[in-house]
Amino acid sequence: MFRCRVATRLVRALGPRSRGRAGTGNFFQRWKVPLEVQLSRQVTSSGVPGGKGENTVFAFLVGLSALGAGAYAYKTLREDQKRYNERIATIDQRPEQDAKALSEADAASQSTAAQETEAATRSEVPSHAPFLLIGGGTAAFAAARSIRARDPGAKVLIVSEDPELPYMRPPLSKELWFSDDPDVPETLRFKQWNGKQRSIYFQPPSFYVSAHDLPHLENGGVAVLTGRKVVHMDIRGNIVKLDNGSEISYDKCLIATGGSPRNLPVIERAGKEVHQRLTLFRKVEDFRSLEKISREVKSVTIIGGGFLGSELACALGRRAQSRGLEVIQMFPENGNMGKVLPEYLSHWTTNKVRREGVNVMPNAIVKSVSVVGNRLQIRLKDGRKVETDHIVAAVGLEPNVELAKSAGLEVDSDFGGFRVNAELQARSNIWVAGDAACFYDIKLGRRRVEHHDHAVVSGRLAGENMTGAAKPYWHQSMFWSDLGPDVGYEAIGLVDGSLPTVGVFAKATSKDTPRSATEESGTGIRSESETELEAPELKVSAASPSSLQAPQQGEDYGKGVIFYLRDKVVVGIVLWNIFNRMPIARKIIKDGEEHADLNEVAKLFNIHEE
């Protein structure tokens, strides 16, 4: 509208009335045309004012004005169209931009929340702990109790990678499987062989104090940081670093990192599909997972014939009879626990496991594992093939020694584990206990032991030495294994199937079972009743004809004592269905004497009692 008005005014200004008033000269003066141009135009005009020449100029100017106005209008319309299109595009893109902005806001919010959570977690981590225990297993808990017993005001911090509070491991492969309570995977409470209820946890949550409050408690206490891993040790600065970046300084430190279950190399190479159907049994979460799996699949195969493999085979075998579950156990030895027991007793044990409903396959070396159809196929080196739904690998333990590199601690090349002296020290203010400790046994030389009783006793001793006791590790730890409530054994010292053995057996009675032993002691964790007791002076009669004879092949090994010899000296003892006699066995090994007649030594255990 503005441009039309301008054009109209221009035409009116150039009309006849304007020309009559102003003339040609006035026109150029009005538009401020230079003087030389005005003179030129007047010279070239041949007509009189108001004639043809003046009309020609007028027409030219009108056309020029119209052309300019049109060009201006065209340009403006194009710009308006461009702005319109851009506006429409902006409106179309707004939902995407809003969604993107919202997504970025959500991501920022989540990141902020994660940072706040991490910050909150870090705030729970004290910057200093007078007694720092790395690892949340049996050894660490035993050390914590020992420290507090000697120093009631001590402030002890346990840093555990496990999400659970400290608990005992033996029931995970024993009593928990024989419970009739369907909620046992959640409650983790079980009936001992004597029928008494018990939890696997050493103490309830109320026993522990908050890690955040620990530095400020006048009377100290024991705090546990669960789900946290120590990833670096600066032993010169007495500082450790956690996986969340937190740092904790310490005065004295115990490494009780335990071990991780080994796997077979052929299974490690088998691929993801096989790994998804594999259990490496060690922790509470492994028990819960395998318990659930055993109710959902038709077949479970256990690879390994040692303590853990044989215990799990018997436990699952009981379920096989009631639920139709196929349980297979395979191992390279000639019989169950062939690396520990003499051959005749290993064969007897294998038959016992078979009677529990287990398909035992000795002399089985796994060549490969693959998924065929919807099942696992295990191929053995002798050509046999086994189909199953799930595999449990129970082939030993690898000590967790990752901290050795950053801490500069020595790892034993023969036995594995952190190398320590007889006082369990790796450095002046660093101790090691439990499965991860390779210690010097003052009677049997350098060793590494992977049993509950050793974790208890070594942890206790480390705790005492951390509070100034300076005691050597003279204790001979024991271990036990139960193949159900009716057959079990306890062992001490070097128990190796490759050593020469002498076995003395007698007929068992109804009292010679793990169930009866638990009723007598009040606990199924038999190292709790044995502790560090040692028998007084032992009197062994001179060699004489003995009525105690080992049963012949095929007879029932009801109860007995197996002596393991090295250079004619007893270095290990297995008590087969004989319980609460471990102090006697410990004394025999400690004395380190050569005995002319081990039948006489066996009488010390009263195996002939009815």
Side-chain angles (χ1 to χ4, degrees), residues 245-263:
S246 301
E247 291 186 347
I248 305 173
S249 62
Y250 60 85
D251 296 329
K252 296 180 181 180
C253 178
L254 172 70
I255 300 175
T257 47
S260 300
R262 289 192 182 103
N263 196 1

Side-chain angles (χ1 to χ4, degrees), residues 262-280 301-304 330 365-371 376-379 388 390-395:
R262 289 192 182 103
N263 196 1
L264 291 176
V266 294
I267 297 180
E268 289 178 344
R269 297 191 299 264
K272 185 177 179 180
E273 283 190 284
V274 172
H275 296 168
Q276 290 174 341
R277 306 183 188 190
L278 169 70
T279 294
L280 299 176
T301 296
I302 300 167
I303 301 177
M330 57 176 63
I365 301 176
V366 179
K367 181 179 180 181
S368 66
V369 181
S370 59
V371 177
L376 293 174
Q377 184 181 87
I378 304 172
R379 298 186 64 183
T388 190
H390 195 80
I391 292 176
V392 180
V395 292

Side-chain angles (χ1 to χ4, degrees), residues 3-63:
R3 291 188 297 274
C4 294
R5 289 175 179 172
V6 170
T8 303
R9 290 175 182 173
L10 183 60
V11 171
R12 288 177 179 173
L14 298 175
R17 293 180 58 184
S18 298
R19 291 195 303 270
R21 294 177 182 175
T24 304
N26 292 338
F27 170 80
F28 283 109
Q29 291 173 0
R30 181 176 298 178
W31 286 90
K32 298 181 181 179
V33 179
L35 180 62
E36 57 270 24
V37 175
Q38 295 181 37
L39 295 174
S40 175
R41 294 299 298 173
Q42 293 174 355
V43 169
T44 56
S45 295
S46 56
V48 297
K52 182 177 178 181
E54 192 170 303
N55 290 338
T56 302
V57 173
F58 171 74
F60 172 76
L61 293 176
V62 170

Side-chain angles (χ1 to χ4, degrees), residues 148-257:
R148 292 278 296 170
R150 290 174 56 87
D151 182 359
K155 298 175 182 179
V156 182
L157 176 64
I158 298 174
V159 180
S160 175
E161 188 178 357
D162 200 306
E164 305 287 342
L165 291 173
Y167 59 89
M168 60 189 82
R169 298 190 192 277
L172 297 180
S173 59
K174 296 181 178 73
E175 293 93 338
L176 284 177
W177 290 97
F178 292 85
S179 175
D180 296 326
D181 183 3
D183 297 326
V184 69
E186 300 304 321
T187 65
L188 298 175
R189 294 187 62 82
F190 61 94
K191 280 186 179 181
Q192 299 181 108
W193 301 140
N194 61 3
K196 293 182 180 179
Q197 285 280 343
R198 184 170 183 176
S199 169
I200 72 167
Y201 294 102
F202 290 114
Q203 291 290 348
S206 58
F207 170 83
Y208 304 97
V209 301
S210 165
H212 179 266
D213 296 335
L214 180 64
H216 313 294
L217 297 176
E218 182 179 354
N219 296 322
V222 179
V224 183
L225 278 177
T226 58
R228 285 297 167 202
K229 183 179 181 180
V230 174
V231 296
H232 186 272
M233 284 190 73
D234 176 5
I235 60 173
R236 291 185 177 180
N238 292 343
I239 296 174
V240 300
K241 185 176 182 180
L242 307 188
D243 52 358
N244 68 342
S246 301
E247 291 186 347
I248 305 173
S249 62
Y250 60 85
D251 296 329
K252 296 180 181 180
C253 178
L254 172 70
I255 300 175
T257 47

Side-chain angles (χ1 to χ4, degrees), residues 331-577:
F331 43 81
E333 296 81 26
N334 294 327
N336 286 75
M337 290 178 285
K339 293 183 178 180
V340 175
L341 300 177
E343 188 174 2
Y344 61 89
L345 200 53
S346 174
H347 287 316
W348 186 93
T349 304
T350 299
N351 291 330
K352 161 66 178 172
V353 176
R354 282 174 174 153
R355 290 195 296 270
E356 295 294 332
V358 180
N359 176 14
V360 182
M361 300 176 62
N363 306 115
I365 301 176
V366 179
K367 181 179 180 181
S368 66
V369 181
S370 59
V371 177
V372 177
N374 196 34
R375 307 197 76 192
L376 293 174
Q377 184 181 87
I378 304 172
R379 298 186 64 183
L380 305 181
K381 283 194 174 181
D382 60 9
R384 288 179 290 175
K385 297 180 181 178
V386 176
E387 288 193 352
T388 190
D389 298 316
H390 195 80
I391 292 176
V392 180
V395 292
L397 199 69
E398 193 70 33
N400 293 328
V401 293
E402 294 90 347
L403 290 176
K405 185 174 181 180
S406 63
L409 301 177
E410 182 181 2
V411 175
D412 190 87
S413 57
D414 295 325
F415 300 99
F418 296 95
R419 194 177 177 93
V420 296
N421 61 18
E423 288 77 30
L424 302 181
Q425 275 185 302
R427 291 289 188 276
S428 59
N429 65 336
I430 297 178
W431 289 258
V432 186
D435 300 338
C438 181
F439 62 97
Y440 182 76
D441 188 315
I442 58 178
K443 281 293 181 181
L444 303 176
R446 190 155 292 280
R447 305 176 63 198
R448 191 176 67 82
V449 181
E450 299 174 355
H451 297 294
H452 177 84
D453 180 64
H454 166 68
V456 172
V457 178
S458 65
R460 182 188 304 137
L461 178 65
E464 292 177 0
N465 289 343
M466 291 173 79
T467 51
K471 292 167 56 177
Y473 188 66
W474 62 265
H475 173 75
Q476 289 298 323
S477 61
M478 58 88 68
F479 60 92
W480 78 99
S481 181
D482 295 336
L483 303 179
D486 301 321
V487 176
Y489 63 88
E490 299 176 356
I492 190 172
L494 293 179
V495 180
D496 187 336
S498 64
L499 292 173
T501 61
V502 173
V504 182
F505 292 83
K507 186 177 180 179
T509 69
S510 59
K511 295 181 180 180
D512 301 314
T513 64
R515 190 195 309 272
S516 297
T518 303
E519 290 174 353
E520 182 177 343
S521 65
T523 175
I525 309 300
R526 292 199 285 278
S527 61
E528 292 180 354
S529 58
E530 303 280 348
T531 61
E532 297 184 60
L533 295 177
E534 182 182 312
E537 283 298 316
L538 301 177
K539 294 183 179 181
V540 181
S541 302
S544 61
S546 175
S547 60
L548 298 176
Q549 301 293 331
Q552 300 297 315
Q553 182 70 32
E555 293 187 31
D556 184 20
Y557 297 99
K559 64 179 179 179
V561 182
I562 302 98
F563 299 98
Y564 292 74
L565 306 176
R566 186 172 67 184
D567 299 328
K568 298 182 180 181
V569 174
V570 176
V571 294
I573 297 175
V574 166
L575 302 180
W576 186 262
N577 271 346

